[in-house]
Amino acid sequence: MAAELQQSSYQDYMQNQQRQSRYHQIVKAVTAVTAGGSLLVLSGLTLAGTVIALTIATPLLVIFSPVLVPAVITVALLILGFLTSGGFGVAAITVLSWIYRYVTGEHPPGADQLEHARMKLGAKGREMRDRVEQFGQQHTS
């Protein structure tokens, strides 16, 4: 009797779990359809508003285009110039800061590579000087 009661209670538990699982799936589906539908309606309204605004604004843009196009180009060039100037200023400050740290004896990032390149260039310069001296001696003698 106790085994039957335990098995019956287990079956009830499993059926309850299946019902809850179905219920959760239904709730998830309803929520997804509601959210998706709302977003789809909002997307449609935005598209309609954009088309209406474009329809109203097009004649104004055509009328004022001789003034607006040069003004937009001028403003774009001004903004581009200021951004470029600022970028070059930041780059210059960064380079000057790096050079200051290098000259004062601190070890900024890349100093080892700079030293290695300086040594290689010096060695190549001495090698070329020796070759030129050899070449000059061969042609004079």
Side-chain angles (χ1 to χ4, degrees):
M1 178 100 178
E4 290 177 14
L5 187 60
Q6 192 176 21
Q7 186 174 4
S8 171
S9 120
Y10 177 73
Q11 287 175 350
D12 290 341
Y13 173 76
M14 290 304 293
Q15 287 176 352
N16 191 20
Q17 284 293 96
Q18 288 176 350
R19 276 190 226 119
Q20 284 182 351
S21 176
R22 286 187 199 135
Y23 176 74
H24 280 104
Q25 288 176 348
I26 291 171
V27 168
K28 286 179 186 178
V30 169
T31 305
V33 168
T34 304
S38 300
L39 291 174
L40 192 59
V41 168
L42 188 61
S43 173
L45 290 174
T46 304
L47 178 63
T50 303
V51 169
I52 291 170
L54 188 60
T55 304
I56 292 170
T58 300
L60 294 174
L61 288 174
V62 170
I63 292 169
F64 292 113
S65 66
V67 174
L68 291 178
V69 171
V72 167
I73 291 172
T74 304
V75 168
L77 288 175
L78 283 171
I79 290 172
L80 184 65
F82 281 122
L83 289 176
T84 303
S85 172
F88 286 149
V90 168
I93 289 171
T94 303
V95 167
L96 289 173
S97 169
W98 189 92
I99 290 172
Y100 175 76
R101 283 185 283 155
Y102 181 74
V103 169
T104 57
E106 292 182 32
H107 196 73
D112 292 334
Q113 293 172 339
L114 182 65
E115 287 296 321
H116 181 68
R118 189 175 65 83
M119 294 294 184
K120 276 179 95 172
L121 282 172
K124 283 292 181 186
R126 285 187 292 279
E127 182 182 332
M128 291 305 294
R129 184 188 66 205
D130 294 341
R131 282 187 182 179
V132 167
E133 286 176 359
Q134 255 184 350
F135 186 74
Q137 288 174 359
Q138 286 177 355
H139 280 309
T140 56
S141 55

